[in-house]
Amino acid sequence: MSLDLTRPHRRYNPLSGGWVQVSPQRMGRPWQGEVSEPDPPPPAYDPACYLCPGNARVGGETNPAYDGVYVFDNDFPALAEDQLAEINHDPLFRAEASAGLCRVICFSPDHSRSLPELPLASIRAVIDMWAAQTAELGARFGNVQIFENKGAMMGCSNPHPHGQVWATEHWGIEVAREDQCLREHREWYEGSLLIDVAEREAAGERVVEVNDDWLAIVPFWAAWPFETLLLPRFAVQRMPQLTDAQRDSLAAVLKALTTRYDNLFETSFPYSMGWHQAPFGMPDIDHWQLHAHFYPPLLRSAAVRKFMVGYEMLAEPQRDLTPERAAAMLRDACPLVHYRAREREA
Ligand code: H2U
Ligand code: ZN
């Protein structure tokens, strides 16, 4: 007898070693998102924005009149470049120096357009910058963490389209866990975990977006309601390895996926997203596969979010909406016309 996935069950995350509690029986009622009035887009230029071209930043510097992607050193970096490699060995109060640097990546000079609203060429330019930052910082640091925090709900106060890159000597626990899981999968099953997942999922019920090179799925083990995993359908460990054609097809998938997100509840969909790629400084990276995670907090509408509290803080994540249902909802959302484009035309 096989496991009944319509009843409470747990799913294993082979990429993190964690589990998620799934409670589909709590999804009895029909699941229609409340539609709130769409938020008006911000202006294309905001004189008060510290990321707009020509404006002063809080740190005192002035942004140039940039017209593409613009990167600068974070004026309030979380890491210091010059920390000596000291370790505090106290068994109870252990600490070590953490060296690294933090940069801010403005995706576009246009304050009003988030990633899905940018033309494909601009998204491609962001991808090229991600790859260039990876190559440059990978020569000096162990982990190059590229990410985007989007929306006030995720603690991002500025709608100007931007992401960040933090490069650190150490890997960070999420990267270290993935490294171990990817390595173990190769040892136990021989294949590459994420290539195997992409092959098994490519025509399945958890697909959100797919083209010849890329696949976006709500993973079987997703913890957040509309969490997605963006996978290459070919072997690649790091972003700088991507060819021109693979970067173009990535831009297309990113645009379609984030357009679906925004159209789902007709809101600029908040999330934290970021790339995982092979850490630097180790010789053997065959078990690695480049991929991106999207972790959006929304559950049922532009205003109703999922809270990871209570049982989830103390035991493990839980969800009612199944990943299969979430993928179907994202597939039903339009990938082509952004809701704000309709508003702009009106
Ligand atoms: P968010 O992506 O979470 O919104 O963070 C924006 C970053 O921009 C944040 O790390 C930096 C903050 O330190 N920042 C500057 O470097 N200069 C500024 O003038 C304001 C914000
Ligand atoms: Zn701005």
Side-chain angles (χ1 to χ4, degrees):
M1 202 178 81
S2 69
L3 181 66
D4 181 356
L5 294 183
T6 66
R7 306 211 354 103
H9 62 278
R10 295 168 77 215
R11 299 187 184 188
Y12 179 66
N13 181 341
L15 198 50
S16 71
W19 291 81
V20 57
Q21 169 69 46
V22 186
S23 313
Q25 80 287 359
R26 302 217 306 184
M27 282 298 303
R29 66 203 157 79
W31 236 73
Q32 203 36 263
E34 310 156 23
V35 179
S36 43
E37 271 303 297
D39 39 336
Y45 169 75
D46 178 353
C49 168
Y50 54 77
L51 299 179
C52 275
N55 288 5
R57 298 206 302 270
V58 183
E61 286 198 43
T62 299
N63 297 321
Y66 65 94
D67 60 6
V69 181
Y70 168 59
V71 181
F72 65 89
D73 285 332
N74 198 310
D75 298 309
F76 310 97
L79 300 148
E81 271 184 81
D82 53 358
Q83 263 283 52
L84 297 172
E86 280 175 4
I87 297 182
N88 175 355
H89 281 297
D90 187 308
L92 294 187
F93 307 109
R94 194 164 137 186
E96 65 178 28
S98 56
L101 63 75
C102 304
R103 291 177 176 164
V104 178
I105 305 177
C106 298
F107 295 163
S108 154
D110 188 338
H111 184 88
S112 68
R113 286 174 196 270
S114 62
L115 204 57
E117 298 166 276
L118 292 175
L120 281 173
S122 305
I123 300 176
R124 167 65 201 262
V126 172
I127 294 166
D128 288 340
M129 183 55 80
W130 285 337
Q133 292 290 316
T134 301
E136 180 199 327
L137 298 172
R140 296 169 53 198
F141 295 99
N143 183 41
V144 180
Q145 190 56 63
I146 291 161
F147 63 95
E148 178 191 3
N149 274 340
K150 182 166 164 263
M153 209 177 260
M154 295 309 286
C156 176
S157 53
N158 191 334
H160 195 113
H162 70 283
Q164 299 190 42
V165 54
W166 292 21
T168 53
E169 217 62 80
H170 61 282
W171 289 0
I173 192 68
E174 298 292 329
V175 178
R177 269 197 203 113
E178 285 197 357
D179 181 68
Q180 188 183 346
C181 288
L182 291 167
R183 194 184 292 277
E184 282 174 4
H185 183 92
R186 187 188 51 177
E187 278 162 19
W188 295 343
Y189 305 104
E190 282 175 12
S192 161
L193 171 60
L194 291 179
I195 291 178
D196 293 353
V197 169
E199 278 173 11
R200 290 273 296 274
E201 292 282 27
E205 58 184 339
R206 286 175 290 275
V207 172
V208 178
E209 267 308 320
V210 62
N211 63 24
D212 286 348
D213 296 327
W214 300 91
L215 176 70
I217 54 172
V218 178
F220 178 75
W221 54 80
W224 292 93
F226 296 98
E227 176 178 335
T228 53
L229 180 62
L230 176 52
L231 297 171
R233 303 180 69 190
F234 52 94
V236 59
Q237 289 84 31
R238 296 183 183 126
M239 226 166 223
Q241 294 164 245
L242 296 175
T243 65
D244 272 331
Q246 290 162 347
R247 293 176 191 208
D248 284 341
S249 56
L250 174 56
V253 152
L254 278 172
K255 187 171 170 78
L257 173 63
T258 53
T259 300
R260 285 185 192 277
Y261 269 151
D262 282 9
N263 284 340
L264 181 64
F265 299 137
E266 298 212 335
T267 193
S268 188
F269 211 67
Y271 58 67
S272 275
M273 72 78 67
W275 289 93
H276 280 145
Q277 46 191 338
F280 291 87
M282 64 175 175
D284 163 28
I285 58 164
D286 282 355
H287 55 296
W288 265 91
Q289 176 75 339
L290 173 72
H291 61 277
H293 297 275
F294 284 80
Y295 298 124
L298 292 183
L299 174 62
R300 207 176 309 143
S301 69
V304 180
R305 60 162 298 168
K306 158 87 184 166
F307 286 99
M308 288 281 187
V309 294
Y311 184 82
E312 289 145 320
M313 284 181 127
L314 291 153
E316 66 190 23
Q318 182 271 342
R319 62 183 298 144
D320 299 343
L321 175 72
T322 63
E324 295 72 31
R325 185 82 190 273
M329 290 171 72
L330 286 168
R331 280 198 306 274
D332 282 345
C334 177
L336 297 175
V337 184
H338 193 276
Y339 73 93
R340 275 182 184 165
R342 293 199 305 270
E343 281 170 54
R344 281 191 170 100
E345 274 162 29

